[in-house]
Amino acid sequence: MEHPHHHVHDHEHDHDYLHSHDIPHSHDHSHPHVHENTRAVVNRLARLIGHLESVKKMVEDGRDCSEVLVQLAAVKSAINNVSKVILQDHIRHCIVDAARDNDQQALDDLCSAIDKFIK
């Protein structure tokens, strides 16, 4: 049975993909990968995409550059906020599991992601 792409971290659906692309992952299925904020994150990202589309339209319409910059600042702030939600979920679930399972790779990946995110 085909599983719809409702959740980015659906282990059942993505497991072969992870193997075929040599992506490091855990085979521990005793703790399903659940993020209570996934729906909220998806909704926020959808709103963000809409917001960015409207900024693009502002530029196409020759709107005042200052107005465009104000809207881009709002988009940047919204990206930071949604990233915070993802990071908090990740720490509460994945990193708690990683610490319990002594999964150094997950901790290294988190540090690398934070390094890229906070520049």
Side-chain angles (χ1 to χ4, degrees):
M1 181 178 157
E2 184 90 15
H3 294 283
H5 286 279
H6 285 308
H7 194 289
V8 177
H9 296 288
D10 183 349
H11 284 305
E12 274 183 304
H13 193 264
D14 291 339
H15 197 243
D16 289 340
Y17 176 89
L18 295 175
H19 273 287
S20 64
H21 291 83
D22 292 324
I23 298 168
H25 62 284
S26 166
H27 286 102
D28 177 10
H29 293 292
S30 59
H31 290 80
H33 205 90
V34 175
H35 291 137
E36 68 267 22
N37 289 311
T38 296
R39 180 56 38 212
V41 165
V42 169
N43 290 341
R44 281 185 187 207
L45 288 171
R47 278 198 305 275
L48 251 164
I49 290 166
H51 195 165
L52 209 44
E53 287 287 351
S54 69
V55 175
K56 179 174 160 240
K57 180 98 173 69
M58 286 174 74
V59 173
E60 289 168 346
D61 293 347
R63 292 278 291 280
D64 180 70
C65 293
S66 297
E67 289 178 38
V68 171
L69 287 169
V70 167
Q71 291 308 311
L72 283 173
V75 167
K76 200 190 310 189
S77 173
I79 289 172
N80 283 340
N81 286 334
V82 75
S83 300
K84 256 191 302 195
V85 172
I86 292 169
L87 180 58
Q88 288 165 353
D89 262 8
H90 185 55
I91 290 168
R92 285 195 188 101
H93 299 286
C94 318
I95 298 304
V96 166
D97 289 350
R100 184 201 62 222
D101 300 337
N102 214 357
D103 180 357
Q104 189 59 46
Q105 183 64 52
L107 299 171
D108 291 346
D109 290 348
L110 172 62
C111 289
S112 173
I114 289 171
D115 200 41
K116 285 184 179 75
F117 187 70
I118 302 172
K119 287 271 186 210

